[in-house]
Amino acid sequence: QVQLVESGGGLVQPGESLRLSCAASGSIFGGTVMAWYRQAPGKQRELVAVVSSGGTTNYAESVKGRFTISRENALNTVYLRMNSLKPEDTAVYYCNLGNQGRSYWGKGTLVTVSS
């Protein structure tokens, strides 16, 4: 079993920054793909950013140039640096880990961008 614990969410004003963290623990073998998703009220969950075990990254168009995903493989931890936050970034952000053909989710952390 794999556990994911997110942290770093909160209330910020438009234009400000936040950094989310997600620490994975448990039965993890070999390479992993780690990602951040988000779900805004009344909307479907969407992929925000993904990083492979080799460091290759991809981003949703809506966050390109503002968000940066990174990881520390030795710690099984993934980060999401969010700059120039907008009200439309308000959502619950979920960490996801793919390993050995399985997908695991954290419980989410709320990010609210409001003046």
Side-chain angles (χ1 to χ4, degrees), residues 6-12 18 20 36-48 62-63 66-67 80 82 85-95 107-114:
E6 302 105 333
S7 61
L11 171 64
V12 296
L18 274 177
L20 305 182
W36 288 96
Y37 287 73
R38 68 185 180 187
Q39 187 166 18
K43 295 187 177 182
Q44 289 189 328
R45 192 173 297 189
E46 63 174 357
L47 176 66
V48 176
S62 60
V63 306
R66 299 188 298 122
F67 290 11
L80 185 68
M82 305 184 292
L85 282 161
K86 304 175 181 180
E88 50 263 44
D89 294 318
T90 295
V92 177
Y93 284 71
Y94 296 91
C95 178
K107 293 183 178 180
T109 184
L110 177 62
V111 173
T112 303
V113 185
S114 176

Side-chain angles (χ1 to χ4, degrees), residues 1-2 5 7-9 11 20-21 26 33 38 41 53 55 60-61 63 71 77 79-80 88 91 93:
Q1 193 63 286
V2 173
V5 178
S7 61
L11 171 64
L20 305 182
S21 300
V33 176
R38 68 185 180 187
S53 56
E61 286 295 325
V63 306
R71 62 187 292 168
T77 298
Y79 306 96
L80 185 68
E88 50 263 44
Y93 284 71

